[in-house]
Amino acid sequence: MCIRDSYFFVRANATFTRVAILFREGLTGRDVVLVDPDEEHLGGVVDRSIWPDPAGERLAFGVSDPASRWMEVRVRDVATGRELPDRLRGLQARRVSNLSWNPDGTGVWYDGFAPPSGEDPRAARLRGARLAYHELGTEQGEDRIVLRAGPDETIDHRRTDDGRRVVAMVRDGRGVRAVHVLDASDPAAEPRLLADPAPQVMVQELADSSVNLQLRVWTSAGDFWDVWWDLKKHVKESVERAGLTIPFPQQDVWLRGEHETGGLAAESRGR
């Protein structure tokens, strides 16, 4: 895989139970081992799936249990070899799940399932197929779930060659049920909203303690309740990230009195 004249590739034995990930700068450069299969802290087998970011500065790769279908994705800095704290669970190994970087390399899109919890991962069932977005430096629990599939459906995705779009496909037992085209640079975009009629934001009321806005969007009947709850959650989180708080009813009280000289007393203000 070539990124800006830098080459990322794997070397493996015939059964792919020993996989090393290497990096070479230019065709005549020296091969540098980025991930060594003998590293003790890996805790599993390096998967052959590799995902360098658009600038070739970071590499996402998978580590899996040979007896399990599950894979944990990790990220390393190419220049220093330092491993970042990011960990993504719930992905499928052996090139089943896919991962795509956003254009500026600050986060990744990935398709997978609800991570196994409190059970043997080797026997855990696949459930909760989803497409999610992870921002580097955050916990996986904070990831935005962009798409959710039904009980008998799966999701896979690909990034377009120009890096501007993410194409997600929802599949059932009969084939592709739906295709969503997303803006790769905007993980907050809601793919279940209809473009026509267009979303609207209106000033609903100039209230005593707030300016009330109304957001009006359209979606399919089958997605209505999921969109309803997900948008409420997203709006609240966006408001908090912007440093705003929910306005509570409040009142200013002015206390006035007379000084001994007959002048106006100092004013105190409370809420």
Side-chain angles (χ1 to χ4, degrees), residues 7-143:
Y7 294 85
F8 297 85
F9 55 99
V10 301
R11 285 180 181 161
N13 60 5
T15 58
F16 286 95
T17 55
R18 287 183 54 80
V19 178
I21 303 175
L22 296 94
F23 161 79
R24 178 190 301 167
E25 190 167 348
L27 288 174
T28 59
R30 179 175 62 90
D31 291 352
V32 177
V33 177
L34 288 178
V35 182
D36 188 329
D38 292 327
E39 295 177 27
E40 294 183 0
H41 73 281
L42 286 175
V45 174
V46 178
D47 195 79
R48 51 184 157 168
S49 300
I50 58 174
W51 302 279
D53 74 359
E57 297 175 350
R58 299 184 183 93
L59 175 76
F61 65 99
V63 176
S64 63
D65 180 338
S68 168
R69 69 184 77 184
W70 298 103
M71 171 176 66
E72 180 181 80
V73 170
R74 305 179 185 182
V75 181
R76 285 198 179 176
D77 182 275
V78 173
T80 65
R82 181 177 63 90
E83 193 161 298
L84 278 62
D86 303 76
R87 296 287 188 274
L88 300 179
R89 301 174 63 238
L91 286 82
Q92 291 288 281
R94 304 173 187 91
R95 298 187 176 181
V96 175
S97 288
N98 191 29
L99 179 147
S100 302
W101 289 86
N102 69 353
D104 62 7
T106 58
V108 295
W109 302 74
Y110 62 96
D111 54 68
F113 300 83
S117 177
E119 55 187 322
D120 184 351
R122 291 170 294 184
R125 295 179 53 198
L126 298 180
R127 59 179 182 273
R130 76 273 307 272
L131 173 68
Y133 177 81
H134 173 77
E135 185 174 346
L136 289 188
T138 65
E139 297 291 335
Q140 187 178 12
E142 302 174 32
D143 291 357

Side-chain angles (χ1 to χ4, degrees), residues 193 199-202 204 213-217 231-232 235:
L193 302 186
Q200 295 176 299
V201 178
M202 299 161 284
Q204 183 182 36
L213 305 178
Q214 183 181 71
L215 170 63
R216 181 178 295 173
V217 298
L231 278 182
K232 283 181 178 290
V235 168

